[in-house]
């Protein structure tokens, strides 16, 4: 049986240093830590499950979850995945603390990050792409916290890994779908959540990239709705009034129900084709009414579950993520295959 003592002897360090590296406690130089992890992997080291449970109960791992889920039903399934995974790790004392914010207010999200900084071991966050948030995440990582970005990434930060969809590919796929539904010709109204989301920007960039092949697809207008249903209704309604030439809508993120309500105020002959993301109940309702033609499903439950699994592996088993990004592939859903 491979022990930490054996690894310490081979790496010419103390057993305590090996313990700190394999269980993420305290600071060890990156060169030493990398050597210890390499030797442990080569020897096939596996911590004793009973010992892991006992150790975890002595120092219960705390996981803080920060999501802009207030008023956004998409995150209901993300939270369900997070909670079910956390519940399965209760034997180890793992506790999940959910913090909810609304929309894309950097100050609100920053306040939560600062609140949890001293009383958490890991942070799972759907981040706003803002320099203050980036700096806060970097401080957490520098302090030895484990940080995973969920559903949205934070480019340029020190976060350990990202769990979510390929946003650019989502935009590319949405444009291809729209081209097929519209017969190659469409004036498109784009409804973003917020440009402060790197993922929302990436979806728009992917859509525009695919437009280079779809010569008959043009963007007529772009608005932001902050993933808020009422804002989405008002701004989509105004966009459709100002741009009667619009024949299709690309709904980039939340606020789908509000945008669809605006579409329903038009006569059936003038309603645009609608492509959206995710099959939340209100979107399914709009699919049944014939308003939304197709959605791109990004597996929110799996996103939440995987993120919590990674936190458990790091905090209890001492295993770092083996890759930087865990991507959930998009699934095209029509009313017929819901």
């Amino acid at each position: 049986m491979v022990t930490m003592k054996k690894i310490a002897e081979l790496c010419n360090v103390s057993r305590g240093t090996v313990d700190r590296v394999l269980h993420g406690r305290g600071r060890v130089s990156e060169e030493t830590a990398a050597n210890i992890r390499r030797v442990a992997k080569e020897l096939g080291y596996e911590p004793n499950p009973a010992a892991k449970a006992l150790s975890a109960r002595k120092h219960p791992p705390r996981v803080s979850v920060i999501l802009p889920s207030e008023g956004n039903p998409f995150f209901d399934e993300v939270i369900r995945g997070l909670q079910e995974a956390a519940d399965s790790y209760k034997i180890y004392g793992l506790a999940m603390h959910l913090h909810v914010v609304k929309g894309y207010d950097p100050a609100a999200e920053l306040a939560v990050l600062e609140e949890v900084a001293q009383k958490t071991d890991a942070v799972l966050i759907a981040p706003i792409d803002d320099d203050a948030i980036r700096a806060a995440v970097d401080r957490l990582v520098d302090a030895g916290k484990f940080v995973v970005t969920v559903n949205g990434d934070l480019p340029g930060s020190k976060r350990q890994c990202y769990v979510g969809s390929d946003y650019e590919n989502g935009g590319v796929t949405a444009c291809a779908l729209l081209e097929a539904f519209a017969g190659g010709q469409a004036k498109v109204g784009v409804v973003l959540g917020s440009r402060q989301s790197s993922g929302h920007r990436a979806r728009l960039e992917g859509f525009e990239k695919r437009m280079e092949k779809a010569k008959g697809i043009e963007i007529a207008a772009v608005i932001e709705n902050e993933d808020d249903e009422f804002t989405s209704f008002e701004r989509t309604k105004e966009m459709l009034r100002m741009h009667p030439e619009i024949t299709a809508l690309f709904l980039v993120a939340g606020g789908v129900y509000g945008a669809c309500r605006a579409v329903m105020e038009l006569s059936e002959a003038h309603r645009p084709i609608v492509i959206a993301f995710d099959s939340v109940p209100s979107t399914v309702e709009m699919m049944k009414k014939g308003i939304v033609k197709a959605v791109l499903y990004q597996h929110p439950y799996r996103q939440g579950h995987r993120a919590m699994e990674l936190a458990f592996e790091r905090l209890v088993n001492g295993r770092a993520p083996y890759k930087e990004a865990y991507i959930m592939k998009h699934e095209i859903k029509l009313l017929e295959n819901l």
Side-chain angles (χ1 to χ4, degrees), residues 63-64 66 113 120-127 133-134 136-150 153-154 157-163 307 310-311 314-315 321 324:
V63 181
S64 296
I66 306 172
L113 278 169
T120 195
D121 301 299
V123 173
L124 312 181
I125 181 172
I133 302 299
R134 191 172 289 103
V137 164
D138 289 352
R139 287 194 297 271
L140 285 168
V141 175
D142 289 343
K145 313 297 184 182
F146 182 64
V147 181
V148 178
T149 51
V150 184
D153 204 2
L154 191 59
S157 72
K158 295 180 180 179
R159 60 92 177 114
Q160 278 88 349
C161 66
Y162 162 64
V163 178
L310 289 166
R314 181 68 181 84
L315 299 179
E324 185 181 357

Side-chain angles (χ1 to χ4, degrees), residues 97-242:
H97 303 279
L98 176 63
H99 302 268
V100 171
V101 296
K102 182 175 178 60
Y104 298 89
D105 179 2
E109 191 168 80
L110 183 61
V112 177
L113 278 169
E114 292 175 343
E115 175 191 342
V116 306
Q118 301 302 318
K119 52 186 178 183
T120 195
D121 301 299
V123 173
L124 312 181
I125 181 172
I128 296 168
D129 191 4
D130 180 87
D131 285 342
I133 302 299
R134 191 172 289 103
V137 164
D138 289 352
R139 287 194 297 271
L140 285 168
V141 175
D142 289 343
K145 313 297 184 182
F146 182 64
V147 181
V148 178
T149 51
V150 184
N151 187 248
D153 204 2
L154 191 59
S157 72
K158 295 180 180 179
R159 60 92 177 114
Q160 278 88 349
C161 66
Y162 162 64
V163 178
S165 65
D166 180 336
Y167 277 85
E168 181 178 325
N169 174 262
V172 169
T173 306
C175 185
L177 265 176
L178 192 54
E179 183 183 27
F181 274 109
Q185 301 289 325
K187 303 286 187 181
V188 185
V190 177
V191 183
L192 282 173
S194 172
R195 293 185 186 275
Q196 285 189 288
S197 165
S198 63
H200 297 182
R201 296 197 309 270
R203 276 186 186 154
L204 179 56
E205 289 164 5
F207 191 91
E208 292 172 333
K209 181 178 179 180
R210 181 59 175 76
M211 280 172 53
E212 295 173 8
K213 293 183 179 179
K215 301 300 183 182
I217 306 295
E218 299 178 17
I219 292 178
V222 179
I223 61 171
E224 297 177 48
N225 66 8
E226 300 297 322
D227 285 350
D228 178 78
E229 298 292 1
F230 181 76
T231 302
S232 189
F233 169 74
E234 293 291 340
R235 293 182 181 175
T236 302
K237 182 178 178 179
E238 178 64 11
M239 179 177 66
L240 293 172
R241 186 185 70 81
M242 295 292 293

Side-chain angles (χ1 to χ4, degrees), residues 213-324:
K213 293 183 179 179
K215 301 300 183 182
I217 306 295
E218 299 178 17
I219 292 178
V222 179
I223 61 171
E224 297 177 48
N225 66 8
E226 300 297 322
D227 285 350
D228 178 78
E229 298 292 1
F230 181 76
T231 302
S232 189
F233 169 74
E234 293 291 340
R235 293 182 181 175
T236 302
K237 182 178 178 179
E238 178 64 11
M239 179 177 66
L240 293 172
R241 186 185 70 81
M242 295 292 293
H243 297 274
E245 74 275 17
I246 286 176
T247 58
L249 288 182
F250 173 36
L251 307 183
V252 173
V256 173
Y257 186 77
C260 289
R261 294 297 300 179
V263 169
M264 291 175 69
E265 292 201 350
L266 301 175
S267 65
E268 288 193 23
H270 294 92
R271 289 177 182 174
I273 295 166
V274 179
I275 302 294
F277 281 83
D278 299 300
S279 52
V280 302
S282 57
T283 300
V284 171
E285 178 187 340
M286 289 302 165
M287 295 180 80
K288 290 178 178 178
K289 291 181 181 294
I291 305 299
V292 176
K293 298 302 182 186
V295 297
L296 292 170
Y297 184 67
Q298 53 182 330
H299 302 280
Y301 174 87
R302 285 177 53 204
Q303 289 186 31
H305 203 280
R306 190 71 182 105
M308 188 60 71
E309 287 175 347
L310 289 166
F312 170 78
E313 287 294 331
R314 181 68 181 84
L315 299 179
V316 178
N317 292 329
R319 295 195 188 101
Y322 64 88
K323 56 185 179 180
E324 185 181 357

